[in-house]
Amino acid sequence: VAANEVFESRTVPGRFYIQVWNKGLAVWDRSLDAYRSFETDGVVTYVHVDARNRAWLAKDGGIDVVDPDSFRKIRSVNLSRRPGQPAKALFFVETPDGTMWAGTAKDGLARIDPATFRVTWIDLEGAPDQEKMRIWRLYADPRGRLLVCSDGTG
């Protein structure tokens, strides 16, 4: 299995989430020696399991939010800054208040309300061309402040 990322569940010791390239999300439960997978359309570029135990799958054209226990799709989030041009999420971070933030390829920074899944595009002060900005990584400190790592085009 070609995997980009493997990380252990925050809530279930011995359960591992695996970001499977070109497939979606896999879960391996060491205590049960069980392996399950959820396939999605498009390439999954990043997986984040939030504090509510929902898996956020970054993929071409948007985001799938999945229950990692049942693999039931909770929601597909349309991540589009410009009509008809879907954005590609590259990375997620969750702030202490539960807000999800998505860094994108060529579309900048998006804030996603965890209850309504409403997307708000954020303009970063001093960045000249934010609609072309590639956000590689995000970090949220314990107070909820974001550190944004971009390619410098914005």
Side-chain angles (χ1 to χ4, degrees):
V1 173
N4 290 6
E5 186 90 26
V6 177
F7 54 96
E8 190 167 7
S9 169
R10 290 189 240 172
T11 57
V12 182
R15 178 175 292 165
F16 294 86
Y17 299 106
I18 305 162
Q19 173 195 336
V20 182
W21 188 252
N22 284 338
K23 295 290 183 187
L25 174 70
V27 178
W28 177 56
D29 193 321
R30 184 182 357 206
S31 66
L32 302 174
D33 197 23
Y35 177 87
R36 297 174 294 135
S37 63
F38 173 83
E39 291 194 17
T40 186
D41 56 332
V43 174
V44 175
T45 56
Y46 190 73
V47 175
H48 174 82
V49 179
D50 69 13
R52 297 178 181 187
N53 197 40
R54 300 178 300 187
W56 294 67
L57 311 180
K59 59 186 198 125
D60 294 336
I63 300 165
D64 282 344
V65 183
V66 177
D67 178 332
D69 296 324
S70 68
F71 285 146
R72 179 183 60 83
K73 186 186 290 188
I74 297 168
R75 177 74 67 105
S76 287
V77 179
N78 179 9
L79 195 61
S80 181
R81 188 172 189 139
R82 296 173 300 275
Q85 297 179 5
K88 179 179 182 177
L90 296 176
F91 194 82
F92 296 114
V93 72
E94 181 178 7
T95 49
D97 66 357
T99 299
M100 293 297 297
W101 297 85
T104 67
K106 302 181 183 175
D107 288 280
L109 180 64
R111 178 191 180 279
I112 306 166
D113 183 291
T116 64
F117 299 98
R118 182 174 173 261
V119 175
T120 304
W121 291 95
I122 304 301
D123 289 328
L124 300 174
E125 187 175 323
D129 197 359
Q130 300 192 41
E131 291 187 8
K132 294 181 181 175
M133 183 185 296
R134 185 179 305 245
I135 306 284
W136 289 110
R137 288 290 182 259
L138 298 166
Y139 171 78
D141 75 8
R143 292 174 40 192
R145 296 176 296 186
L146 292 179
L147 176 63
V148 179
C149 178
S150 77
D151 63 357
T153 60

